Amino acid sequence: MRSKAVVLLCLFFLSGCGPYSFSPGGKLSSDLKTITINNFVMNAAGGPANLSTTFTETLKEYFQRNTRLQMKPGGDGDLVLEGAITGYDVTPQAPTASDKAGLNRLTIAVTVRFTNNRDETGNFEQTFSFFKDFPQTQTLNQVEGQLVQPILDQIVLDIFGKTAGDW
């Protein structure tokens, strides 16, 4: 009898969650069918030569995996994402007693223009950035391969959350 009450109580609470979705792409209108993701350009000094290509492809792949939208080249999709990598900076962090940085921080910034060709109220231009720290005893060349992709992945998640996520 007690287990029936628990089940009924759970069903009661879950029934109030009908219109909400925790799946990716939760706030995309059903009339949206296509997305154009233009190649992001490199407007920052430094960084790997293929950084803008890597970022663009990571963004495209994420949207393809996590939405029902079809990629449409040419800039005339229902949704359009474009922009530039505007920052690639290494800064010292965590000073030590010997006036040397204990850590260095790699920060990547991407400025994104989002256009919803069906509903202009969601359009925006915003800079997204993320960082990873690395020990002062290592050079950027030694750790760059380990740091760049996780930073780009987080920026892609942030962009997705702002444009198509349900949060």
Side-chain angles (χ1 to χ4, degrees):
M1 183 66 154
R2 186 173 184 189
S3 63
K4 281 185 180 181
V6 171
V7 169
L8 288 174
L9 189 59
C10 288
L11 288 174
F12 172 77
F13 284 116
L14 290 175
S15 68
C17 298
Y20 301 101
S21 168
F22 292 103
S23 63
K27 75 177 184 184
L28 291 177
S29 172
S30 62
D31 66 331
L32 298 171
K33 307 288 185 223
T34 60
I35 186 168
T36 298
I37 299 178
N38 290 322
N39 290 331
F40 279 68
V41 297
M42 186 67 168
N43 285 349
N50 65 343
L51 185 61
S52 60
T53 302
T54 301
F55 176 76
T56 301
E57 291 306 311
T58 301
L59 188 61
K60 285 179 180 179
E61 288 171 12
Y62 196 85
F63 270 84
Q64 285 178 316
R65 278 194 324 265
N66 294 290
T67 69
R68 57 180 158 54
L69 299 172
Q70 297 297 309
M71 287 291 156
K72 185 172 186 182
D76 61 347
D78 296 334
L79 304 177
V80 179
L81 280 167
E82 56 194 347
I85 297 172
T86 53
Y88 191 90
D89 303 303
V90 176
T91 55
Q93 303 294 313
T96 63
S98 62
D99 284 338
K100 290 185 178 180
L103 293 173
N104 288 314
R105 175 171 291 172
L106 173 62
T107 304
I108 299 175
V110 179
T111 299
V112 175
R113 279 179 306 283
F114 174 74
T115 306
N116 183 332
N117 287 318
R118 303 238 178 177
D119 178 11
E120 293 180 5
T121 60
N123 295 355
F124 67 85
E125 183 168 334
Q126 179 178 335
T127 299
F128 296 86
S129 67
F130 198 70
F131 65 87
K132 288 285 187 183
D133 294 333
F134 61 97
Q136 171 270 337
T137 57
Q138 294 179 305
T139 66
L140 179 60
N141 286 341
Q142 291 173 314
V143 297
E144 193 171 45
Q146 302 162 6
L147 302 178
V148 170
Q149 193 60 52
I151 293 171
L152 296 182
D153 289 343
Q154 183 60 52
I155 293 171
V156 165
L157 284 173
D158 293 344
I159 292 167
F160 185 82
K162 174 83 178 194
T163 58
D166 198 28
W167 43 84

